[in-house]
Amino acid sequence: MATSENDIVIRGPLHRDRSNVLCGPVSRFACRIICRRDPPYSATLYAAGFNSDNEIFLSESAPKICSKRSRVDDFDALTTFGVRVFLPDANAWREVSVHGNMHQLRPGLNVPGEAIRSQPKNAKVSCELVDGAIIDIAGIQLLWRTGPVIDRMLQSTVERDRIVERIHTRRPQCPVQYHTINFKYCLYSQEEKEACEAERRPYVYPACGHVHSYNRSLKGMACPMCRTQGPYVELKFSWVPSISNGEPLAVFNPCGHITDLETAERWSNIRLPDNAPPNAKYRPICPYCAKALKRVPYSRIIWQDGNPVDDSTQQETA
């Protein structure tokens, strides 16, 4: 039953349809998650949702699946653009049906993928969500985190302000202009950022990791420290504990978001779809801004002294 507590609308990138109505690509009946609230707790993903008449909402073009026995219970279906899930244990993308069965990715828009069965029982595999699973709906990704993991992350999370203060007290220097970079700029409001001197703002070459302050002449140029070709962008610090709660030691290429090494390594090895099938292209993305990563997906952050930032350096300078 749809209520304000459990009916979640995911808009995705907004656009106007043929009637000039502002809308997003994700249907509010795209999928449903059934949660078991008694021990052992679990959550299972299903494609499609129930409308106000308590009927599964599917378009006429949605792929239908039935067995040779043609019993009512044997009928299943996929949604038009599909509901896919990436499970860490399987390390692969699968598509979920209305009954919660797992299928290989469909080869065409109207052709369902082959059902995945367990071995040796040959039973259909259900989609129980585990921590770290990624749900994809028409190119929009949702990261699933379980309650116990979130609690542990919040308890062990190093405060964002403390991280910024620790790096700021190192007085990082721009290797070109030889003045101190204002790393607290990452915490400023939009008004404070506009008031901050442009030459003190932290910028980075994500392809190599060298941190500089802003210099108009560096735009479009290779890194002056190592001559690596690549973008020269503002260093961004987005604090999302459900994605990363560690010390920022790496920077995603090409967007400039900084994160811990474990998060950078994990997300650079997951290929996510950018659209609904059959037009989807799978590529690694930055988990903060969803920008596609380059061939070198991330780099270690390097300050003026030319050494990567590590825990020992931070402890000595803290």
Side-chain angles (χ1 to χ4, degrees), residues 193-210:
K193 287 185 176 182
E194 293 175 356
C196 179
E197 297 178 57
E199 293 77 12
R200 303 284 180 176
R201 300 174 184 176
Y203 269 65
V204 65
Y205 282 91
C208 62
H210 282 106

Side-chain angles (χ1 to χ4, degrees), residues 30 47 58-59 61-65 77-84 93-98 102-116 136 138 276-280 282:
L58 285 172
S59 67
S61 60
K64 310 301 189 299
I65 305 169
L78 306 175
T79 58
T80 304
F81 297 110
V83 178
R84 290 156 296 280
W93 285 96
R94 301 286 186 256
E95 185 165 359
V96 185
S97 72
V98 172
M102 301 287 279
H103 293 258
Q104 300 284 358
L105 297 181
R106 66 180 77 176
L109 182 61
N110 299 316
V111 182
E114 183 180 351
I116 299 175
D136 174 77
N279 303 315
Y282 287 78

